[in-house]
Amino acid sequence: MAAPAPSKNGRKALGRLSLPERTFVADALRAETVGGVLLLVAAIAALVWANTLSGSYESVSDFHIGPSALGLDLSIEHWAADGLLAVFFFVAGIELKRELVAGDLRDPKAAILPVVAALCGMAVPALVYFLVNITGGGSLDGWAVPTATDIAFALAVLAVIGTSLPSSLRAFLLTLAVVDDLFAILIIAIFFTSDINFAALAGAVVGLGVFWLLLCKGVRGWYIYVPLALVIWGLMYNSGIHATIAGVAMGLMLRCTRRDGEERSPGEHIEHLVRPFSAGLAVPLFALFSAGVAVSGGALTDVFTKPETLGVVLGLVVGKAVGIFGGTWLTARFTRASLSDELAWPDVFAVASLAGIGFTVSLLIGELAFTEDPLLTDEIKAAVLMGSLIAAVLSSVLLKLRNAKYRAVCADEERDDDLDGIPDIYEEDKPEYHLRMAEIYEKKAAEHRRLAEVTGGASDGSGRPA
């Protein structure tokens, strides 16, 4: 498949990031990678626990705690899914707000590529699931399960296989996941909302209004916002709308643009504080109490024979890769943007395959889609695990094939010959950089001339006949 012809203005698809954006992406992905490794450990622990001591796993997961008078007498598993994941979606809301006002999504020309790729990467898996279940006579309720991408798990895979993925591809993956999270939130809000309690919903809306007003007035203090956030969450839960929506709404309200004298915007500051809790505790605990499914030969066989579970596996492995790659190629083709010189289309396909890891949000949607059928819920969870595993292995193989090229690109991105703390690749159009390099080379040349004279003199002395 030929790459699209470059446009007259030379615009590049998946081109080099600006230095501030590269720094932000590196910091964000570093935290997500650590969280992804913990998520991976939690998922393995859940599988081992559920398959060796299934009785204790079920009793702990089903243990209820919370004030029943407030409608919050929930199981541990329920607290993890509705409570802890609200923190995860709060961080996702901040990320989305930042992308919209200060990141790639701010510029419509730059935003169109990841947005279209993400939309295609959700539509095609849903279509794959739909076709498999129409053909096999399965339930269509799980169409949304394979539409999600788990950025933390995907980055954990990158950390494990040790690939030096260029920053442009990492940023593309991060932006994809942010847009993916946005539409996953909309899917949960629209398609998985039970009967609405309008009194509780009105209370949640009022609470959000107070939250926004306090932010506008510049009021500070965690002791004000944390209790208010808990009240908003509780009201949202009792309204019948999934409680994680409260986390997203509050995240979107934070200001993510910097003012004069600010090193970080309030949104960036709070995200920096909350992200370790989200990635290091909230999401791994959710995985611990959601990924524990019984794994046996028969269960694994069922994953590939039942239309619901097969639709999930094929949606994650095939649908995600085809959807994201196809959306990216079509966007580049019709906007006449050429792929960055350092990358090839197989790189885009490898990242698209990596996005087939749908762990966290896919597990959540699976629970919401089949609440009336616990057995099918567990089978869907097994399908999510299997599909994510296959996607991880496939993308790892594809990325490994290009790892030597990635290392060369990353080395070029990190090179800092003038030792000023800024990669040289960002300074090549600045006269000061070339003057500094000229001075460095002149010093090196002078040193080599001195050494040449010294070694030349020694050679003359030793070579003179007696």
Side-chain angles (χ1 to χ4, degrees), residues 30 80 129 172 232 239 242 255 295 321 364 382 390 419 432 460-461:
R30 192 176 299 113
Y129 180 93
F172 178 62
I232 294 170
S239 74
H242 201 269
R255 176 169 60 84
V295 178
L364 175 62
I390 295 173
L419 303 176
E432 313 88 73
D460 290 344

Side-chain angles (χ1 to χ4, degrees), residues 267-282:
E268 291 172 323
H269 176 67
I270 293 173
E271 180 187 7
H272 180 73
L273 294 176
V274 178
R275 185 187 288 275
F277 176 78
S278 170
L281 184 65

Side-chain angles (χ1 to χ4, degrees), residues 90-91 94 211 215 219-222 225 250-251 253-256 264-277:
F90 174 70
V91 174
I94 300 175
F211 187 88
L215 290 174
V219 176
R220 298 186 178 184
W222 65 267
Y225 288 102
M250 287 184 279
M253 288 182 179
L254 293 173
R255 176 169 60 84
C256 292
R264 288 177 176 170
S265 67
E268 291 172 323
H269 176 67
I270 293 173
E271 180 187 7
H272 180 73
L273 294 176
V274 178
R275 185 187 288 275
F277 176 78

Side-chain angles (χ1 to χ4, degrees), residues 34-372:
V34 174
V37 173
L38 294 175
L39 178 62
L40 184 61
V41 171
I44 294 172
L47 289 170
V48 172
W49 187 5
N51 285 276
T52 55
L53 300 168
S54 59
S56 67
Y57 182 83
E58 292 175 0
S59 62
V60 172
S61 298
D62 293 337
F63 182 78
H64 279 61
I65 188 172
S68 56
L70 299 178
L72 296 175
D73 183 19
L74 311 178
S75 67
I76 297 295
E77 181 180 1
H78 208 162
W79 275 112
D82 283 47
L84 291 177
L85 276 196
V87 180
F88 166 79
F89 279 107
F90 174 70
V91 174
I94 300 175
E95 289 176 342
L96 177 61
K97 178 68 173 289
R98 187 201 165 276
E99 287 293 328
L100 289 170
V101 300
D104 287 344
L105 300 182
R106 175 185 54 180
D107 179 6
K109 291 182 179 179
I112 188 171
L113 181 65
V115 169
V116 172
L119 286 173
C120 292
M122 299 184 80
V124 175
L127 179 61
V128 169
Y129 180 93
F130 183 82
L131 292 175
V132 170
N133 282 271
I134 283 289
T135 305
S139 171
L140 300 180
D141 292 343
W143 65 269
V145 175
T147 61
T149 294
D150 192 312
I151 183 64
F153 221 140
L155 291 171
V157 171
L158 286 180
V160 170
I161 65 175
T163 184
S164 303
L165 199 64
S167 58
S168 58
L169 282 178
R170 289 179 180 266
F172 178 62
L173 182 61
L174 178 62
T175 308
L176 267 179
V178 170
V179 178
D180 192 287
D181 285 342
L182 169 63
F183 286 101
I185 291 159
L186 293 175
I187 287 172
I188 291 171
I190 296 170
F191 296 100
F192 298 104
T193 295
S194 56
D195 296 333
I196 296 179
N197 181 331
F198 288 99
L201 180 59
V205 171
V206 170
L208 288 171
V210 173
F211 187 88
W212 178 78
L213 185 62
L214 291 173
L215 290 174
C216 290
K217 295 293 185 181
V219 176
R220 298 186 178 184
W222 65 267
Y223 46 85
I224 296 175
Y225 288 102
V226 171
L228 178 58
L230 292 174
V231 171
I232 294 170
W233 176 87
L235 289 168
M236 189 68 75
Y237 175 84
N238 281 286
S239 74
I241 296 176
H242 201 269
T244 53
I245 304 300
V248 178
M250 287 184 279
L252 287 171
M253 288 182 179
L254 293 173
R255 176 169 60 84
C256 292
T257 52
R258 299 178 188 179
R259 293 176 179 170
D260 292 341
E262 288 184 341
E263 292 186 6
R264 288 177 176 170
S265 67
E268 291 172 323
H269 176 67
I270 293 173
E271 180 187 7
H272 180 73
L273 294 176
V274 178
R275 185 187 288 275
F277 176 78
S278 170
L281 184 65
V283 176
L285 280 178
F286 167 76
L288 182 64
F289 292 108
S290 293
V293 293
V295 178
S296 64
L300 294 178
T301 301
D302 288 343
V303 166
F304 297 100
T305 55
K306 288 191 174 182
E308 294 89 352
T309 51
L310 180 61
V312 169
V313 172
L314 292 179
L316 288 172
V317 177
V318 178
K320 273 289 184 182
V322 171
I324 292 173
F325 179 82
T328 303
W329 188 86
L330 288 172
T331 303
R333 177 71 177 177
F334 288 105
T335 59
R336 298 186 63 79
S338 61
L339 196 66
S340 178
D341 295 335
E342 297 89 1
L343 303 176
W345 284 107
D347 301 324
V348 180
F349 187 81
V351 171
S353 300
L354 189 65
I357 301 173
F359 192 77
T360 303
V361 182
S362 290
L363 289 176
L364 175 62
I365 295 177
E367 292 180 355
L368 297 174
F370 299 104
T371 52
E372 304 299 325

Side-chain angles (χ1 to χ4, degrees), residues 15-26:
R16 187 188 310 146
L17 302 176
S18 66
L19 184 58
E21 185 70 9
R22 179 178 178 271
T23 302
F24 173 82
V25 167

